[in-house]
Structure formats: C-alpha cells, structure tokens
Amino acid sequence: MLLTTVLPLTLSLFTSIHANAAPNVDLDKLDTPSTEMGQQVGKDTLTYANYDEVSVSHIDLSLTVDFDKNQLLGDAILDLVWHKASKELVLDTRELTINSVSVQNKSGQWQNVPFSLSKADKVKGAALRIPLNHENNAKVKVSYHTSNNPSGIQWLTPQQTLGKQLPFMFSQSQAIHARSWIPLQDTPAVRQTYSATITTDKAITVVMSADRQVLSNTQTQFSMPQAIPAYLIAIAAGHLKFAPLNNISGIWAEPAMLDKASKEFSDTPKMIKIASKRYGDYRWGRYDLLILPPSFPFGGMENPRLSFITPTVIAGDKSLVSLIAHELAHSWSGNLVTNATWRDLWLNEGFTTYVENRIMEDLYSRDRALMEQTIGYSELLAELEELPPQDSVLHIALGERDPDDAFSGVPYVKGQLFLVFLEQKFGREHFDAFVKDYFNHFAFQSITTAQFREYLSFNLLNKYPNVVSEAEVDTWIEDQGLPSFLVPPNSHAFDDIDIQRQTWLEGNISAQALNTKTWTVHQWLRFISEMPRINLNQTKLAELDSTFHLTGTNNNEIAFAWYSLALDNRYYTVLPALKQYLNEIGRRRLIVPLYQKLASTEHYDWAKDVYLNARPGYHPQTQASLDLLFADNPMEHSHRH
C-alpha cells in the first residue's frame, strides 16, 4: 500500500515479460548502484532471501489441514532459477518447524541435505539456510509444519463461524506473512507460479487463489499458471458453498451468508466488464469472491481469482460495494503490476484506489464517485494529523520496520490524489491511454518507484511538455504531507448536508426537522464525521441518537463513524451497543481506533475486559496490535512480530 531520489534507468528495462515465464525482478536492471539507508536501492530489506543469486520460479505444495492441532503440515517443493554462482539458498520463515530439507538429483531421486535456521527477528522471522550447488540443484523440498497460531493464518472454532457447524481457517499473507505458513522467498520482487494438493476432512471445503479441481472427498488440487508474488498465495477452508454470478464470477461463503452476499455483490460482473474496457483484458480467468467470517482483519484482500472479502460491507443496499471495485481493480494494479518492495506500496494502492473510483463512476455515477473521493480526502486529512511526518511520504523510507506500518491512508488516498492531479493536468483521454499502456507494459512484473518515474517521464511528461514538471512529481512522491498546489475533491452533494448540520448545531432546527429522507450512506457519513470532536452537547447527541437510532445501526461504516463521535464527546450511552459491535467484527479499521479512544479514557478497564473477551475471535494480526495497547497486563499469548 507506501516512496526518494529517482535514478536513471535504461529503456530496455521496459521489456514486457510473459505471465508463464515466471518473471522475477532483475536487480541488475532495477537501479544504478547506490545506497539508501545502508541498502542497495531497489533491494527488498524485509526478506532474507538471496533472490539476486537464485529465485523461486514455482512452488508445489502438498499440505494437510489439521483442525485438531490447528496446523498446516506437509511439503513445499521449490523450483529454482540460478542467476549467478552461489553455494546456498536462503528462504524466509516465521515460526515454522522444519522437519527435513532434500534436493532432487539428476536421476530424480530426493536426497536429504543439511540446513540451519537463524535466530528469529521480531519482524523478519528466521532465515532458512540451505547449502546447495548451483550447477546441479534445480529443485528443493522442505518438509515442515506451521505453529498453531501463525501470523498469517487464523483458525476458528465452529462457534466462531456463522453456521456454527464446522471449523474454519483462512490465510492473510500480505505483507510478509506468507513466510508463517510456507518456507519461501517472501518478497514482492519475486514472482512464481504455484500448484497445491490440499488434504482435509471430507466435510471441509478448501479454496485457494488458483484454479480448483476436486480430486476426492478429502483432496483438492489447485494450479496458478500466472506468476505472482508470495503475498498473493492464499488458502481458506471451512463450511463453504458456491453461487455463480455469471460464467467467470461467483461467490463462496458460508451457506447462511450466500444469498445475502450474492444479492449485495450482483454488480461484480458489470464491474469486470467496465474495468476491462477501460484498462485492458482481465487476465486471470475467473474472478470469485470469498466472504470470510467477521474476524477477517481487513476490508478485502486481492488474492488473484479469489478476492477475500469482509462481511462488514454487506449493508443490504450496495452502498459499500466500492470495496469490491477496489479488490477487482487490483487485478490490474497490484496483481498484474506489483510493487517490488513495500516502500513502493503506493504503486499498488494509489493506482488501485484511483481505478476503483473510476469503476464506481462508470457503474453508478460521477456524483457517487466524487462523494467517495471527498470522504477519502477528509479521512486522510484526519489521519495526517496523527501520523509521524515521515510516514506521510508516498515513497516511504521503511527500512527494516514492519511493512504493516506502511498501510495507512497515505499510499491509498494520497496516491490516488496524485493520479487525479495527473489526470486533471493531462486530460482523461491522454491519462487513460497512459494508464492502460502502463498496465500492459509492466504486465506480470514487479517494479520500483524509480521505474515508474522513468516510465512516467518518457511516456507522459516528455510526450506532453510544459504540463507537469519533474519538481511537481517530486513533491507528490518524495515530500511529506500534501502539496500546496493540490485542488481538493469537493462533492456538491454534501453542500446541503453541511448546511443542515451547521443549522442543527446552532440550535435553529431540531433533529426531527432535518431533511434526511434522500440521504445516501455517504451523506450520512459526511454528516456524522464532520461533527465537532470535543464538547458537543450530550443532549444534542442524545437527540440525534433517539431520532435516527444510530446506536446499534446495522451499517458498520455508519456505526464506526457514530461510535467514534460518541467516544470523542464522552457520550457513553453507546457502551452496551459498542461492546456487542466489538465482539461481532474484527476488521482492524473499524475496531482498533475505537479501542485506542477507549484506552485513553476512564473506561480503560472496561475496554480491556471487552478485548480479553473478544480476543479469541480476532485475527493474530489484530491481536498483535491490541496486545500492545493493553500491555500493562501481558496477554496469554505474546506479541507476535
């Protein structure tokens, strides 16, 4: 999802690589030799892998899903491509138990070889070092099993699911959590194809981010023929059923959720058609959605062929389906053209947020797209007040910090605003052509910000001179905060909302007299989010609450906005309903800020009790954040990374 000095590149860098060629970043072509924070520019600092010497081109998994032990166990066979003479292969792991490592000799037989695991780093995990001969070894097999609570997998009991009949598990590999369930080169700079044979209990259905074929009532086989980075390898298993939307798209969900999700996301095929027309063919075969249990820590995850989706966006009126447009947009920006390191995250998320908004405009209306832009901008302004200034840079100097720290509104919304700026300066006709050509040119490649800068200069700035300067681009990408020359998005659909809010705040109109009959969810969010954050009269909050029944609302976005306002203004009437809300969903964006607000008040102990009760249902990545918040009494399980 986050960006410094641009270095000269050769134009030969921009040669397209075919999907089936398992392309990997060529470090010799990334950037000219330089150092940045003590590291080679373009080199991923968050992996142990020696991928400039040898890279993984294919992974073949043979795994058993063990719900009794909450473990994945089996083998990973790695196909290797040697780039230079080397005597070892270095892989990333986190809390994996390595049982054995073997290599395939020229006659096809497997022979055990020695290996070592380094001392674990709290961010990067442990390096798996395997001595190898680059002249003879093209395949390595690692036999292993995961811990019972890896950072990239959540295990749920039947009681923690909607149907309450069968257990459930799912992965969340982004940013560097794939290493917690597969020994691999866990960097977006390396792309590989993968296949898998997964064994489960016969009552369990397994899905992955790949083509799916059922072999028997206990075994399912998968194949991903396009080369993808490790963070896009995904798996889920549980009580799942499928409903098609059309011939290339459908919904996987627990049976009790399937009909509701199918209705809510019925416009998905239209979104695919719109995006394909504007940005080029959809290249992944299928586009299915997996609706996960409420504990899923994010809105969605763009795993190719199978986006993972939170149920918190099922509002019953399609008001929150921009999330689907976002995950679909990743099929071009992120999955097709990928950030080569996590400090280049904005290349994934800025482009995706831009494309998402264009899809929403084409499918629904310019008014809706502009409302969503405006809300995103307002949320970014609020976030920038809290972020350290250095984290407001698109090309964030991440160093060896946890890459999860890069995931703020900056790579998403500031990245989007930068692209909107370019669109407005060059006009949609020129900019649309540029974006489509950019996706085609770098298809199935992982690139850096420097590569993007070179391509932008050659294909837009120099092609249409004296429109946008390199200095302006520098300001957007390398400077803190937002440029002084930014023209903020402004939706006139909010004009009346702002007037009515102010009139009500001044006491010139009652809540009952507010004209809300035609308000959309976005207008309600604007109405609530722009309220005073301190010293708002308790009586007035109670008036709003009793008139519009905001406490306990089923729309999770409105609920989050309302509970945030209530806590900021010490309107603690919401606490019983808030407790239920915090126990029912685990989406980080919708719960962590509320816990943070509560922890700074006299209700710290109450919040801690709520968290301890809800914690078993939260994802390990959510637990890690909140364990720190309530660290005065260490949790049963230690902070993970």
Side-chain angles (χ1 to χ4, degrees):
M1 296 178 206
L2 297 176
L3 294 182
T4 5
T5 304
V6 178
L7 300 168
L9 301 168
T10 62
L11 289 180
S12 63
L13 175 67
F14 304 119
T15 303
S16 296
I17 301 178
H18 190 270
N20 294 328
N24 297 291
V25 167
D26 184 343
L27 285 180
D28 293 331
K29 294 182 179 179
L30 274 180
D31 299 292
T32 55
S34 181
T35 58
E36 183 173 317
M37 299 185 66
Q39 300 288 338
Q40 179 183 353
V41 175
K43 174 73 173 175
D44 188 347
T45 61
L46 293 161
T47 178
Y48 292 111
N50 56 334
Y51 62 94
D52 52 342
E53 298 175 347
V54 54
S55 59
V56 175
S57 61
H58 181 80
I59 300 174
D60 184 22
L61 297 170
S62 179
L63 297 176
T64 296
V65 181
D66 188 338
F67 278 106
D68 292 329
K69 295 182 178 179
N70 285 357
Q71 287 181 344
L72 294 174
L73 63 154
D75 303 326
I77 298 176
L78 312 179
D79 288 14
L80 306 178
V81 177
W82 294 88
H83 305 297
K84 58 181 70 173
S86 179
K87 295 299 183 182
E88 71 172 351
L89 169 69
V90 186
L91 302 176
D92 295 302
T93 75
R94 179 184 288 141
E95 297 185 355
L96 296 182
T97 298
I98 308 300
N99 299 316
S100 67
V101 176
S102 54
V103 299
Q104 193 174 45
N105 61 27
K106 291 181 178 180
S107 61
Q109 296 176 320
W110 291 99
Q111 298 178 322
N112 283 351
V113 295
F115 64 89
S116 64
L117 274 175
S118 68
K119 181 180 178 181
D121 175 82
K122 66 179 182 179
V123 172
K124 296 166 65 173
L128 173 58
R129 299 185 179 276
I130 306 167
L132 291 178
N133 186 333
H134 71 277
E135 295 177 349
N136 299 324
N137 302 135
K139 286 181 183 287
V140 170
K141 179 165 66 176
V142 182
S143 298
Y144 70 99
H145 65 77
T146 67
S147 74
N148 63 5
N149 191 29
S151 65
I153 298 282
Q154 182 171 19
W155 299 88
L156 299 172
T157 66
Q159 284 302 114
Q160 292 171 318
T161 68
L162 184 62
K164 304 192 184 306
Q165 295 180 22
L166 294 171
F168 202 104
M169 63 80 66
F170 63 89
S171 66
Q172 172 55 35
S173 297
Q174 196 179 34
I176 57 171
H177 300 287
R179 65 189 69 181
S180 74
W181 64 283
I182 307 172
L184 42 52
Q185 295 178 316
D186 198 3
T187 168
V190 174
R191 305 176 74 99
Q192 59 265 296
T193 56
Y194 82 88
S195 54
T197 301
I198 308 298
T199 302
T200 61
D201 183 272
K202 63 182 180 181
I204 298 292
T205 298
V206 183
V207 293
M208 294 188 76
S209 54
D211 286 337
R212 181 176 184 271
Q213 181 182 2
V214 177
L215 299 181
S216 69
N217 61 2
T218 61
Q219 281 197 327
T220 311
Q221 194 170 69
F222 299 91
S223 176
M224 168 51 75
Q226 291 106 333
I228 59 172
Y231 75 87
L232 293 178
I233 304 175
I235 187 172
H239 190 194
L240 294 170
K241 298 295 182 183
F242 180 76
L245 295 175
N246 70 351
N247 62 326
I248 67 162
S249 183
I251 308 287
W252 287 96
E254 289 190 70
M257 178 66 72
L258 193 56
D259 286 346
K260 185 184 294 186
S262 296
K263 292 175 183 176
E264 193 79 4
F265 305 135
S266 62
D267 288 338
T268 301
K270 295 179 184 177
M271 291 183 179
I272 298 171
K273 186 176 181 179
I274 286 169
S276 299
K277 182 178 180 180
R278 186 173 296 284
Y279 297 114
D281 292 343
Y282 179 78
R283 307 193 193 196
W284 301 94
R286 292 196 59 81
Y287 183 72
D288 295 324
L289 307 175
L290 170 64
I291 314 306
L292 287 168
S295 60
F296 183 52
F298 303 106
M301 183 60 213
E302 63 270 18
N303 307 308
R305 300 176 187 241
L306 186 66
S307 285
F308 285 14
I309 303 297
T310 174
T312 63
V313 296
I314 300 178
D317 57 5
K318 300 185 179 182
S319 59
L320 305 178
V321 297
S322 60
L323 178 81
I324 307 302
H326 184 91
E327 304 312 328
L328 171 64
H330 269 301
S331 301
W332 288 265
S333 51
N335 298 3
L336 189 64
V337 182
T338 307
N339 50 231
T341 78
W342 292 111
R343 68 170 309 211
D344 304 304
L345 177 61
W346 79 275
L347 291 173
N348 277 21
E349 299 299 349
F351 268 94
T352 295
T353 306
Y354 174 82
V355 171
E356 163 207 331
N357 196 250
R358 294 296 300 276
I359 293 172
M360 295 300 290
E361 177 179 335
D362 287 347
L363 183 57
Y364 297 111
S365 69
R366 172 65 176 162
D367 284 345
R368 176 163 176 174
L370 194 54
M371 280 194 287
E372 292 180 355
Q373 264 192 53
T374 305
I375 288 173
Y377 172 70
S378 296
E379 291 177 345
L380 177 62
L381 291 181
E383 191 170 9
L384 288 175
E385 292 182 3
E386 305 294 330
L387 279 177
Q390 63 270 23
D391 285 358
S392 67
V393 177
L394 278 184
H395 194 203
I396 184 173
L398 196 58
E400 294 192 2
R401 290 164 55 194
D402 192 323
D404 289 349
D405 293 345
F407 287 76
S408 71
V410 172
Y412 291 81
V413 181
K414 183 179 177 180
Q416 176 198 29
L417 291 170
F418 170 45
L419 298 177
V420 170
F421 167 79
L422 294 175
E423 173 206 289
Q424 292 171 342
K425 288 292 187 178
F426 290 98
R428 279 194 167 178
E429 181 180 356
H430 293 322
F431 192 66
D432 282 355
F434 167 81
V435 174
K436 184 177 181 178
D437 289 345
Y438 165 77
F439 291 148
N440 286 329
H441 199 91
F442 288 113
F444 299 103
Q445 296 186 57
S446 299
I447 69 168
T448 64
T449 296
Q451 289 172 262
F452 167 79
R453 287 290 303 268
E454 188 77 10
Y455 187 82
L456 174 70
S457 297
F458 189 79
N459 292 280
L460 201 60
L461 272 60
N462 296 342
K463 189 174 180 179
Y464 306 103
N466 303 318
V467 177
V468 171
S469 68
E470 293 284 358
E472 288 174 309
V473 175
D474 278 339
T475 299
W476 274 106
I477 293 178
E478 310 298 349
D479 286 3
Q480 297 176 359
L482 294 172
S484 59
F485 50 83
L486 164 68
V487 178
N490 180 34
S491 171
H492 291 296
F494 293 143
D495 291 349
D496 180 63
I497 309 302
D498 294 340
I499 291 171
Q500 289 201 64
R501 183 198 316 103
Q502 190 59 36
T503 303
W504 175 77
L505 285 170
E506 292 171 352
N508 296 323
I509 191 174
S510 68
Q512 292 86 346
L514 289 169
N515 184 15
T516 64
K517 291 181 180 179
T518 62
W519 283 10
T520 66
V521 166
H522 306 92
Q523 289 169 314
W524 271 110
L525 291 173
R526 172 76 171 204
F527 179 76
I528 296 169
S529 298
E530 297 298 317
M531 287 283 184
R533 308 318 292 183
I534 58 173
N535 300 326
L536 183 54
N537 187 285
Q538 300 279 305
T539 303
K540 295 191 76 65
L541 285 167
E543 180 193 4
L544 275 185
D545 201 3
S546 62
T547 303
F548 300 112
H549 310 292
L550 295 170
T551 300
T553 176
N554 290 325
N555 186 296
N556 289 296
E557 291 287 347
I558 291 178
F560 173 71
W562 172 247
Y563 294 141
S564 296
L565 177 67
L567 295 179
D568 284 344
N569 287 284
R570 308 176 70 82
Y571 179 66
Y572 295 131
T573 303
V574 303
L575 290 183
L578 178 57
K579 179 179 180 179
Q580 182 177 350
Y581 171 93
L582 293 171
N583 273 277
E584 288 180 348
I585 66 173
R587 185 177 173 188
R588 289 167 55 91
R589 189 179 72 81
L590 299 182
I591 64 169
V592 172
L594 298 177
Y595 277 117
Q596 290 171 334
K597 291 177 187 293
L598 286 162
S600 65
T601 71
E602 66 271 27
H603 292 283
Y604 173 89
D605 290 337
W606 179 89
K608 184 173 180 178
D609 287 343
V610 171
Y611 171 56
L612 288 172
N613 182 68
R615 186 182 188 278
Y618 289 160
H619 190 277
Q621 295 172 37
T622 308
Q623 293 174 352
S625 297
L626 293 174
D627 285 356
L628 282 179
L629 187 64
F630 298 108
D632 65 312
N633 184 10
M635 303 298 161
E636 178 182 352
H637 302 285
S638 62
H639 176 56
R640 196 154 288 283
H641 62 279

